[in-house]
Amino acid sequence: MALITCQNVKVGYEGRTVAENINFSVEKGDYLFIIGENGSGKSTLMKTILGLHPLMEGTILTKDGFQPNEIGYLPQQTVIQKDFPASVKEIVRSGCLNQGGFRPFYQKEEKKRAKEMMEKLDILELQNRCYRELSGGQMQRVLLARALCATKQLLLLDEPIAGLDPKAALEMYDFIAKLNQMFGLTIIMISHDLRAAIRYASKILHIGYTPLYFGTKEGYLTSTIGKHYLQEGEG
């Protein structure tokens, strides 16, 4: 069974429909890019999967025993988050609370996992630094390490490259691809970067267009919607 299956899903908020007739599934090891224009419902869909927005219509099925609190989530970063006065280590460790709820201390295994994630993201030497003193690329790696502490299966990323300079963006893409290819982590990423989707994705979901596209990257390249947007990007 797929980790997540969406069947005839309608999403929105405050009673307003943003996207509907959404059908797709995510298998273990997939790297799914969700693309579409601004306002097409990408972030709303992701928040609905996480249970942060109520499902308006349809069904979202998860693999037996797999729960939303086992998903690592990296949301779009806000100005307030960038000014958060905590250490890198504190922020990364807080990802372990996703499954266990609030506790006044961290268990030995949680501290070990946080250290491993910081090592994977090459930020261990920053662990005692204040988060708000970091560069944009370093901040995103800290938040990615935090999200990894919350999951061993599925990572949801909402525009993780937004606001980064080209070098930092490329490093982030490479980190994420490594997590997918070397560690088998399933990735769902929202992005406006069609070139990155073509380079990294195994599957693409394009919403905000009727009919929506869901399928392989190779199929997208030959689809009507894919040809249209690729030509538009070259123009």
Side-chain angles (χ1 to χ4, degrees):
M1 182 180 178
L3 286 179
I4 294 177
T5 302
C6 289
Q7 299 176 337
N8 301 317
V9 163
K10 178 193 287 188
V11 297
Y13 50 90
E14 297 179 354
R16 184 173 72 88
T17 299
V18 178
E20 56 188 333
N21 299 319
I22 302 172
N23 293 275
F24 72 97
S25 60
V26 179
E27 306 284 344
K28 181 174 175 58
D30 279 349
Y31 190 166
L32 172 68
F33 266 67
I34 302 178
I35 60 178
E37 297 179 355
N38 289 334
S40 60
K42 302 183 299 297
S43 294
T44 305
L45 172 60
M46 187 171 280
K47 290 176 181 178
T48 302
I49 291 172
L50 289 163
L52 302 177
H53 282 327
L55 177 64
M56 297 183 76
E57 284 185 14
T59 305
I60 298 178
L61 302 172
T62 57
K63 184 178 179 180
D64 291 345
F66 185 66
Q67 301 296 325
N69 67 352
E70 297 178 81
I71 299 174
Y73 176 44
L74 178 56
Q76 294 183 30
Q77 195 170 189
T78 65
V79 174
I80 293 175
Q81 287 172 323
K82 290 180 180 180
D83 198 39
F84 197 63
S87 72
V88 167
K89 180 169 59 180
E90 289 171 330
I91 289 175
V92 174
R93 285 180 176 178
S94 69
C96 298
L97 300 176
N98 193 48
Q99 297 182 41
F102 177 77
R103 298 189 304 275
F105 59 88
Y106 293 98
Q107 299 172 1
K108 183 178 179 180
E109 283 301 309
E110 292 172 335
K111 292 179 180 179
K112 180 181 177 182
R113 181 164 177 78
K115 183 179 179 181
E116 289 173 351
M117 295 306 106
M118 287 188 283
E119 288 176 337
K120 283 183 180 179
L121 274 295
D122 196 25
I123 55 171
L124 187 59
E125 73 279 7
L126 302 175
Q127 62 177 318
N128 295 317
R129 290 272 303 277
C130 182
Y131 175 75
R132 63 185 176 188
E133 296 173 356
L134 304 180
S135 69
Q138 289 170 334
M139 284 182 172
Q140 284 298 76
R141 277 189 276 164
V142 170
L143 296 179
L144 182 55
R146 179 186 185 279
L148 288 170
C149 282
T151 185
K152 295 180 180 179
Q153 295 194 69
L154 178 61
L155 191 62
L156 271 58
L157 310 170
D158 192 349
E159 296 281 3
I161 313 302
L164 300 185
D165 62 59
K167 182 177 181 294
L170 183 59
E171 288 176 350
M172 181 62 71
Y173 276 131
D174 287 343
F175 275 124
I176 296 167
K178 182 179 179 181
L179 293 172
N180 175 248
Q181 296 166 7
M182 296 184 65
F183 302 107
L185 194 66
T186 306
I187 307 288
I188 302 177
M189 180 190 288
I190 291 175
S191 178
H192 287 94
D193 192 342
L194 190 52
R195 290 183 180 179
I198 298 304
R199 178 176 178 181
Y200 295 103
S202 60
K203 294 179 180 176
I204 292 175
L205 173 65
H206 192 140
I207 63 176
Y209 185 96
T210 304
L212 64 73
Y213 175 86
F214 170 67
T216 65
K217 169 176 58 182
E218 293 76 17
Y220 183 76
L221 291 172
T222 59
S223 69
T224 301
I225 184 174
K227 289 179 179 178
H228 172 75
Y229 277 88
L230 287 168
Q231 289 173 358
E232 190 175 80
E234 293 172 355

